[in-house]
Amino acid sequence: MADPILQISDLSHAFGRNRVLHNINLEVQRGQFAALVGPSGCGKSTLLRAIVGTHLPQHGRVAVCSAGGAKVVEGPGRDRGIVYQRYSLFPHLTALENVAYGLMLDQTTTTERWLRRGRWRALRRAHVEQATELLQQMKLGDALRRYPPEMSGGMCQRVAIAQALIMKPAILLLDEPFGALDEATREELQRVLLTLYAEDLAARRRQEAPPYTVVLVTHEINEAIFVSDRVLGLSQYWDWQAAGHTECPGATIVYDKPAPVFAPDDPRDFLSFRDQKEEILHTVFEPSIGVAHREYLGLAAQASGKAPA
Amino acid sequence: MIGRPIPQRTALLCSVLAVAAVVIAYTVLATAQHRKNPDGRTIPTWGQLWGGLVFLCQRPTAEADADAADLLAAALEGAGIREEQAEAGQRPRGWLQDRILWEASKASLGRLLGGLAIGLGGGVLLGLLMGCFHKLDAAFSPVLYFASRIIATAAMPIFFKLAGIELEMYVAMIAFGSLPIVTLTVSQYVREFPEELRFKAYTLGASHTEVIATAIFPCVLPRIFDLAMLMIGPALVYLIAAEQIVAGEGFGYRIRVLTKATRFEAVYPLIVILTVYAGAMTWALRALQRKLCPWYGAAKR
């Protein structure tokens, strides 16, 4: 049964005369892990920022669905968690304080913290307990009191993921979170995402709503296929002439297909999805391609029947 | 190799040798000068310097300081009045009261700290707001940029005319001299705050006020301490320059009157003590920075 968390309708955006995104239509279901790939500069981060709400699109709309219905994104909000590649943690807070930071902001105000000290202290203890438990699950029990400069890049990104997850956002957005890390650390963090997906699967088996929905922007196609269950390709290389444009109107979704699901303990056998990787490289990254992409928009066609105009 | 670290012992030895070289050079110079002119005090000997320091720790009296009687008349008069009051039981006289060094320290440090408090406090607040809100930045930047280029010592006559020659004038001058620079610098620090962290704070539920109070301000606080340490020097320049012209008490005043009386054996200790005060303030700010911003040390390492 369709249970959309994120709905993007007719989204287009330009920076001055530079048209970046064109007519993006996308629906992400609750519990999906969607990986967004595309050539450098095609607008992946622009699309992500439109979802976060920090850079609203010029045309179209982004809506996040909850129990109360679909709410159009008009700015950043706590229903959308974000993890960036750089500057992922507040440098003046320890790992524990970084994770507990969102709970403090969400459940108290500055005035309350100053004027109702007793209540704040009790709340703070609860926040610290929650944050400690989550960091221990991330295998960071020894790093609770460390500041970001005292932690490795991998540790910082795990804390950043915990910082976002503790808020239980409707959707978690990851903007190339592992781009600056070495291969071994990337693998470790990919397994963290697979563990979250495994929790989603377990929830579905119990007939419960899956707790995590993720949109991951990445340059690494292998990573995109390995950690996600759906791969989206954003590209400016599509048949815009056939659609009646005299110049490229911007990047659009040219690929949308399911990806194989892996368990956290599965080996990283990239050869097992080599064909899909080749298909993505050809469809999304090949500048000379000019054919219609309809055959590659399997999941989008299922969801809404919409395709690039 | 550039930047090669050295053992702490070697660093300490180098420092001790440098200080010793300065002390030895001064001793040689003073001794040579003293041989030429035994009564001269332009480059005082260590013994004369000690005498000057003792003089600064005393209450001024006409007998003890006949050469400077006319220049210290005002201080003597003030001290005499206070002595009479003490004897009449109207006003108890503290141990430090009326001693030259104590009165000068009280006057100068009070002016300095008052001016810096307003200059730094006002500058940090305005700089935070300007850095966060572009409209405020557009409104205030041109005026503050111009004001920061005004040479405060050149504008002293205007301060004397507008604010008089009492405490308010010194405070206003130091505040005017420091506030524009502090404001512009702090607003620059705020603009350098990564936008990703700002967006993240919003996604974690922060309001605009909380983004400023719990994310931006703590991150720029260590650099504000660094800025405060840098502002001590210029503030002292404004203060001493003004005191040398119009003050009736303070380090600048004392340096002026003692120089006129060629009492350099007292002038040099005054300058050293003023430098020690500046060093102590810097040390205190650094200690406070370490206490309030423990992550800053980790970031630097």
Side-chain angles (χ1 to χ4, degrees):
Chain A
M1 190 174 123
D3 182 12
I5 271 281
L6 178 71
Q7 291 173 326
I8 301 175
S9 313
D10 302 321
L11 187 149
S12 298
H13 192 72
F15 293 107
R17 300 181 64 164
N18 181 22
R19 292 189 276 184
V20 180
L21 298 173
H22 173 72
N23 201 29
I24 308 280
N25 288 282
L26 178 64
E27 218 172 65
V28 176
Q29 305 297 320
R30 187 184 302 276
Q32 272 191 333
F33 275 43
L36 182 65
V37 299
S40 293
C42 72
K44 302 186 294 296
S45 290
T46 305
L47 179 58
L48 205 74
R49 287 179 177 205
I51 301 171
V52 173
T54 56
H55 296 73
L56 297 176
Q58 287 173 340
H59 303 284
R61 72 165 213 164
V62 179
V64 177
C65 308
S66 61
K71 190 178 160 214
V72 175
V73 167
E74 292 171 346
R78 63 165 314 316
D79 54 349
R80 284 148 285 142
I82 179 80
V83 176
Y84 292 104
Q85 182 183 104
R86 295 183 316 153
Y87 304 115
S88 45
L89 297 176
F90 297 98
H92 62 289
L93 300 175
T94 61
L96 187 63
E97 287 164 347
N98 259 288
V99 176
Y101 179 66
L103 295 176
M104 174 189 81
L105 294 174
D106 192 48
Q107 296 177 19
T108 64
T109 61
T110 311
T111 318
E112 278 178 355
R113 290 194 290 277
W114 280 96
L115 297 179
R116 298 178 68 184
R117 306 284 288 177
R119 178 176 179 268
W120 163 234
R121 271 195 285 269
L123 267 177
R124 183 67 180 165
R125 276 194 293 273
H127 296 166
V128 166
E129 270 176 39
Q130 279 183 60
T132 305
E133 195 186 318
L134 190 50
L135 283 171
Q136 282 167 346
Q137 285 173 21
M138 293 278 181
K139 301 189 178 62
L140 289 168
D142 295 334
L144 299 181
R145 309 250 174 254
R146 287 199 211 168
Y147 288 102
E150 296 169 323
M151 296 190 283
S152 68
M155 292 167 79
C156 285
Q157 289 302 74
R158 272 187 282 165
V159 175
I161 291 170
Q163 184 186 55
L165 288 179
I166 203 169
M167 303 299 295
K168 296 185 170 55
I171 185 162
L172 177 62
L173 306 161
L174 307 171
D175 190 358
E176 300 195 50
F178 315 141
L181 304 174
D182 60 86
E183 188 61 33
T185 312
R186 284 179 86 112
E187 183 180 339
E188 202 182 309
L189 289 165
Q190 286 163 5
R191 302 245 176 242
V192 169
L193 291 184
L194 289 176
T195 305
L196 298 180
Y197 192 77
E199 288 184 39
D200 274 359
L201 292 178
R204 283 203 186 101
R205 282 195 288 273
R206 294 191 302 267
Q207 308 281 330
E208 290 169 8
Y212 307 113
T213 306
V214 171
V215 173
L216 163 74
V217 169
T218 179
H219 271 126
E220 261 283 318
I221 300 176
N222 285 329
E223 179 174 273
I225 300 171
F226 184 59
V227 303
S228 70
D229 62 359
R230 178 183 182 187
V231 178
L232 300 161
L234 184 72
S235 179
Q236 62 269 51
Y237 309 132
W238 57 284
D239 53 340
W240 41 267
Q241 293 104 326
H245 301 281
T246 52
E247 60 178 12
C248 181
T252 194
I253 300 289
V254 298
Y255 186 93
D256 186 355
K257 281 194 174 180
V261 170
F262 293 89
D265 298 328
D266 285 346
R268 292 168 88 221
D269 182 12
F270 294 162
L271 289 176
S272 65
F273 48 74
R274 185 180 171 178
D275 290 341
Q276 185 169 17
K277 180 182 173 182
E278 292 298 321
E279 189 180 60
I280 293 169
L281 280 171
H282 172 71
T283 317
V284 179
F285 291 85
E286 184 60 47
S288 59
I289 194 167
V291 302
H293 292 79
R294 284 181 180 31
E295 64 179 287
Y296 303 104
L297 295 171
L299 285 175
Q302 279 175 32
S304 62
K306 283 188 175 182
Chain B
M1 190 179 78
I2 295 172
R4 180 184 287 177
I6 57 172
Q8 210 168 3
R9 263 191 186 172
T10 311
L12 187 61
L13 183 63
C14 290
S15 301
V16 167
L17 286 174
V19 171
V22 169
V23 168
I24 290 167
Y26 181 84
T27 306
V28 166
L29 198 60
T31 309
Q33 191 71 15
H34 191 67
R35 267 200 219 106
K36 269 191 222 168
N37 178 10
D39 294 327
R41 291 176 286 192
T42 312
I43 304 179
T45 61
W46 294 109
Q48 286 174 324
L49 284 172
W50 175 252
L53 189 59
V54 168
F55 169 74
L56 290 173
C57 294
Q58 289 173 343
R59 294 188 174 92
T61 60
E63 294 79 17
D65 197 8
D67 291 339
D70 56 330
L71 300 167
L72 296 173
L76 285 171
E77 186 184 337
I81 290 170
R82 284 191 286 274
E83 192 164 359
E84 281 167 17
Q85 285 176 338
E87 285 169 358
Q90 288 171 0
R91 191 162 165 258
R93 195 187 205 190
W95 185 81
L96 282 172
Q97 196 173 345
D98 296 326
R99 296 185 191 273
I100 297 171
L101 188 57
W102 170 247
E103 294 299 325
S105 300
K106 254 194 338 182
S108 290
L109 291 178
R111 292 161 185 158
L112 179 70
L113 293 175
L116 278 177
I118 294 172
L120 284 170
V124 167
L125 183 61
L126 190 55
L128 266 177
L129 294 173
M130 280 173 60
C132 292
F133 303 108
H134 290 203
K135 272 189 188 161
L136 283 177
D137 185 55
F140 286 105
S141 275
V143 171
L144 286 169
Y145 187 80
F146 179 76
S148 71
R149 293 294 177 267
I150 295 173
I151 314 295
T153 44
M156 268 196 293
I158 299 173
F159 283 103
F160 301 155
K161 189 73 183 165
L162 291 177
I165 58 171
E166 298 302 326
L167 174 67
E168 296 81 9
M169 182 274 293
Y170 300 101
V171 169
M173 195 177 58
I174 294 170
F176 180 82
S178 54
L179 189 141
I181 298 170
V182 171
T183 305
L184 292 170
T185 309
V186 170
S187 73
Q188 180 60 34
Y189 292 162
V190 172
R191 278 194 293 277
E192 290 169 4
F193 182 76
E195 61 173 9
E196 287 90 344
L197 286 180
R198 189 159 36 90
F199 299 154
K200 177 173 282 225
Y202 282 124
T203 64
L204 294 172
S207 62
H208 296 313
T209 312
E210 284 174 325
V211 169
I212 298 173
T214 64
I216 295 176
F217 179 68
C219 278
V220 302
L221 184 60
R223 299 175 79 185
I224 291 173
F225 275 109
D226 289 337
L227 180 61
M229 288 182 240
L230 287 172
M231 293 310 299
I232 293 172
L236 276 170
V237 167
Y238 307 145
L239 174 67
I240 299 302
E243 283 181 348
Q244 288 192 338
I245 296 172
V246 296
E249 186 53 87
F251 273 73
Y253 164 74
R254 292 292 174 183
I255 289 170
R256 179 173 68 88
V257 297
L258 290 167
T259 303
K260 243 175 145 180
T262 64
R263 296 291 298 269
F264 288 100
E265 75 276 15
V267 172
Y268 285 28
L270 273 177
I271 293 172
V272 168
I273 290 166
L274 189 60
T275 309
V276 168
Y277 284 153
M281 282 190 277
T282 303
W283 178 87
L285 284 170
R286 206 175 290 288
L288 199 57
Q289 183 190 54
R290 273 198 298 270
K291 175 93 180 139
L292 297 179
C293 312
W295 68 90
Y296 195 50
K300 276 180 162 180
R301 285 190 296 274

